[in-house]
């Protein structure tokens, strides 16, 4: 007897079709995601407050209890971060996860405009640190908005050592909030600069946060600062300590001067090393040009190996002419 063939039922076929169908990802609940980000900010606020209390606490038993709470909050922060990643199906944090502090007032940030969900350059004007609510103003606009800190991403502060008088860079123009090529005309105190835009022929006073390195300079791999024209280190005018500077300003200037000195020393060492390398290269070139050995032989029959100038004729000296005697009696005359 022939074995009976198994016939697939319609239910089995339907199951296979469902298995081959693309898996549909769950739609992200944006409101829930926002609440999860806000909860993460709350955890970090409590963690920061607890660290301050621990530094002041002197009772050992109380200190141990506070440290246990610190570990629990730290663990809650890590769990909340994992929850956010699972909710948005990736490891990239869509919103800000760092708490804002008073020192961030005046800083430049990328802020999400909730009408179109796009991020624009803005300045932090005021901050309610307890509620984590910030008053911001988009660059190029007069309106002031109050937003939660999760919508505010602080921009990294540039390296001040790069931006000196005459430096070609890019700056955020106050009318449109976009970067434009410019040149630094003057360096002022408190990390402020006067820049002149290339195309607009407009001058503007800006802060360090508004500047960034030119993309052309970055692509060409130019150094941030060169000291080729300096034989000895000189403190820039904007870093000289003034009598009316407070302690914070003096400390900042000293740190900047120290960093510049280190760069200057490094530049001097690199210059000396380059000079030595150039001397060695010139020496090798000269050696290649004069490569004839005193023991080299010619192709003549009488040439001998290891004998100086072998195969060459004897040195020819010109025939000495007979000296003509002249009357030198006047040289022996007594004076």
């Amino acid at each position: 007897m022939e074995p009976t063939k198994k016939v697939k039922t319609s239910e089995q076929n339907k199951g296979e079709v469902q298995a081959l169908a693309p898996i549909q990802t769950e739609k992200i609940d944006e409101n829930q995601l926002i609440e999860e980000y806000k909860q993460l900010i709350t955890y970090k606020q409590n963690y920061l407050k607890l660290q301050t209390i621990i530094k002041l606490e002197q009772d050992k038993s109380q200190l141990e209890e506070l440290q246990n709470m610190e570990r629990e909050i730290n663990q809650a922060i890590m769990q909340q971060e994992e929850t956010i990643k699972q909710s948005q199906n990736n490891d990239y944090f869509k919103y800000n996860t760092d708490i804002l502090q008073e020192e961030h007032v005046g800083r430049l940030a990328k802020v999400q405009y909730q009408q179109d969900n796009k991020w624009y350059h803005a300045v932090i004007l005021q901050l309610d640190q307890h509620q984590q609510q910030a008053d911001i103003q988009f660059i190029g606009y007069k309106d002031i908005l109050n937003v939660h800190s999760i919508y505010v991403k602080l921009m990294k502060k540039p390296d001040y050592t790069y931006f000196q008088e005459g430096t070609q860079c890019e700056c955020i123009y106050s009318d449109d909030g976009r970067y434009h090529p410019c040149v630094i005309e003057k360096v002022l105190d408190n990390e402020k600069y006067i820049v002149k835009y290339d195309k607009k022929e407009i001058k503007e006073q800006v802060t360090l946060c508004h500047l960034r390195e030119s993309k052309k300079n970055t692509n060409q791999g130019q150094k941030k600062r060169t000291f080729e024209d300096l034989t000895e280190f000189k403190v820039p005018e904007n870093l000289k300590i003034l009598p009316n500077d407070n302690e914070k300003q003096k400390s900042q200037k000293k740190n900047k001067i120290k960093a510049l000195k280190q760069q200057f020393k490094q530049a001097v060492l690199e210059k000396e090393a380059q000079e030595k390398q150039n001397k060695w290269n010139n020496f090798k070139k000269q050696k290649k040009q004069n490569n004839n050995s005193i023991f080299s032989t010619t192709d003549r029959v009488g040439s001998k190996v290891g004998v100086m100038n072998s195969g060459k004729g004897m040195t020819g000296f010109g025939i000495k002419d007979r000296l003509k005697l002249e009357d030198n009696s006047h040289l022996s005359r007594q004076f």
Side-chain angles (χ1 to χ4, degrees):
M1 292 179 61
E2 293 182 1
T4 56
K5 295 181 180 179
K6 293 183 179 180
V7 180
K8 293 183 179 180
T9 62
S10 60
E11 293 181 357
Q12 289 176 335
N13 290 331
K14 185 178 179 181
E16 286 186 359
V17 172
Q18 289 179 351
L20 295 174
I23 300 173
Q24 295 182 353
T25 57
E26 296 181 1
K27 189 176 180 180
I28 299 174
D29 187 348
E30 196 67 24
N31 293 329
Q32 180 184 348
L33 186 63
I34 289 172
E35 292 302 320
E36 290 175 354
Y37 272 94
K38 289 182 178 180
Q39 185 63 47
L40 177 61
I41 293 293
T42 303
Y43 285 151
K44 289 190 175 183
Q45 272 188 291
N46 294 337
Y47 185 77
L48 184 64
K49 292 176 183 177
L50 195 58
Q51 283 184 322
T52 305
I53 296 173
I54 289 174
K55 290 179 181 179
L56 300 175
E57 185 60 49
Q58 296 181 354
D59 187 0
K60 291 184 178 180
S61 59
Q62 191 71 19
L63 182 62
E64 186 177 353
E65 184 178 351
L66 291 172
Q67 288 174 344
N68 291 332
M69 291 176 61
E70 182 185 20
R71 284 190 289 269
E72 291 177 0
I73 294 178
N74 189 29
Q75 187 175 1
I77 290 173
M78 291 188 292
Q79 290 178 352
Q80 188 68 14
E81 288 177 345
E82 290 299 322
T83 302
I84 291 173
K85 292 177 182 178
Q86 292 177 5
S87 298
Q88 59 188 17
N89 298 323
N90 60 60
D91 294 340
Y92 171 75
F93 290 115
K94 180 179 179 180
Y95 298 102
N96 176 44
T97 59
D98 298 321
I99 59 175
L100 295 179
Q101 302 184 48
E102 289 296 334
E103 61 191 37
H104 297 147
V105 175
R107 288 278 300 273
L108 191 69
K110 280 286 191 73
V111 180
Q112 188 190 56
Y113 184 52
Q114 297 181 31
Q115 298 295 331
D116 58 6
N117 293 329
K118 292 183 179 180
W119 297 78
Y120 299 95
H121 292 119
V123 178
I124 302 173
L125 301 178
Q126 198 171 353
L127 175 67
D128 183 347
Q129 190 169 348
H130 179 68
Q131 298 293 332
Q132 283 295 293
Q133 293 286 139
D135 289 340
I136 61 94
Q137 184 178 24
F138 290 107
I139 297 178
Y141 297 88
K142 296 181 179 180
D143 296 337
I144 297 175
L145 302 179
N146 185 267
V147 297
H148 194 274
S149 61
I150 66 169
Y151 301 109
V152 182
K153 290 184 177 181
L154 280 174
M155 295 185 66
K156 187 178 179 181
K157 213 170 184 181
D159 184 2
Y160 62 88
T161 59
Y162 175 79
F163 303 100
Q164 305 296 329
E165 291 184 7
T167 302
Q168 295 284 344
C169 58
E170 294 180 354
C171 180
I172 297 177
Y173 184 42
S174 60
D175 278 2
D176 58 12
R178 297 181 180 179
Y179 282 102
H180 294 274
C182 67
V183 61
I184 297 177
E185 287 203 339
K186 191 174 182 180
V187 180
L188 306 176
D189 294 332
N190 300 324
E191 296 182 343
K192 293 182 179 179
Y193 305 82
I194 293 178
V195 300
K196 182 180 179 182
Y197 297 99
D198 293 351
K199 295 182 179 180
K200 300 181 181 295
E201 294 294 327
I202 297 174
K203 294 183 180 181
E204 194 172 35
Q205 180 175 320
V206 297
T207 63
L208 176 63
C209 295
H210 289 72
L211 302 176
R212 75 176 182 186
E213 295 184 35
S214 175
K215 290 184 178 179
K216 292 182 179 179
N217 294 347
T218 305
N219 295 335
Q220 293 173 1
Q222 294 184 357
K223 294 184 178 180
K224 291 185 177 180
R225 181 173 173 85
T226 58
F227 298 90
E228 295 177 357
D229 55 337
L230 297 179
T231 55
E232 60 180 7
F233 179 77
K234 294 182 180 179
V235 178
E237 292 294 329
N238 62 305
L239 295 182
K240 289 183 178 179
I241 297 176
L242 304 176
N244 57 347
D245 288 343
N246 55 36
E247 292 300 324
K248 184 178 180 181
Q249 290 174 334
K250 289 180 181 179
S251 177
Q252 289 177 346
K253 288 184 177 181
K254 287 179 181 178
N255 291 334
K256 292 178 182 180
I257 292 171
K258 184 178 179 181
L260 287 177
K261 282 184 178 179
Q262 291 177 350
Q263 290 186 15
F264 177 75
K265 289 180 180 178
Q266 184 64 28
V268 170
L269 293 174
E270 290 177 358
K271 186 177 180 181
E272 291 177 353
Q274 187 63 39
E275 289 176 353
K276 290 181 180 179
Q277 184 66 31
N278 292 337
K279 287 181 180 179
W280 174 246
N281 292 336
N282 293 334
F283 173 75
K284 289 196 295 184
K285 287 180 181 179
Q286 292 176 359
K287 190 175 180 181
K288 286 181 179 180
Q289 292 175 358
N290 188 17
N291 200 22
N292 295 329
S293 173
I294 59 175
F295 296 104
S296 60
T297 62
T298 62
D299 295 335
R300 297 180 182 179
V301 177
S303 300
K304 296 181 181 180
V305 178
V307 180
M308 293 173 57
N309 297 325
S310 177
K312 297 181 180 179
M314 295 182 64
T315 305
F317 296 98
I319 300 173
K320 294 183 179 179
D321 295 332
R322 182 174 293 180
L323 296 176
K324 295 181 180 180
L325 297 177
E326 296 181 358
D327 185 10
N328 295 324
S329 59
H330 64 283
L331 297 176
S332 60
R333 188 176 59 183
Q334 294 182 355
F335 295 95

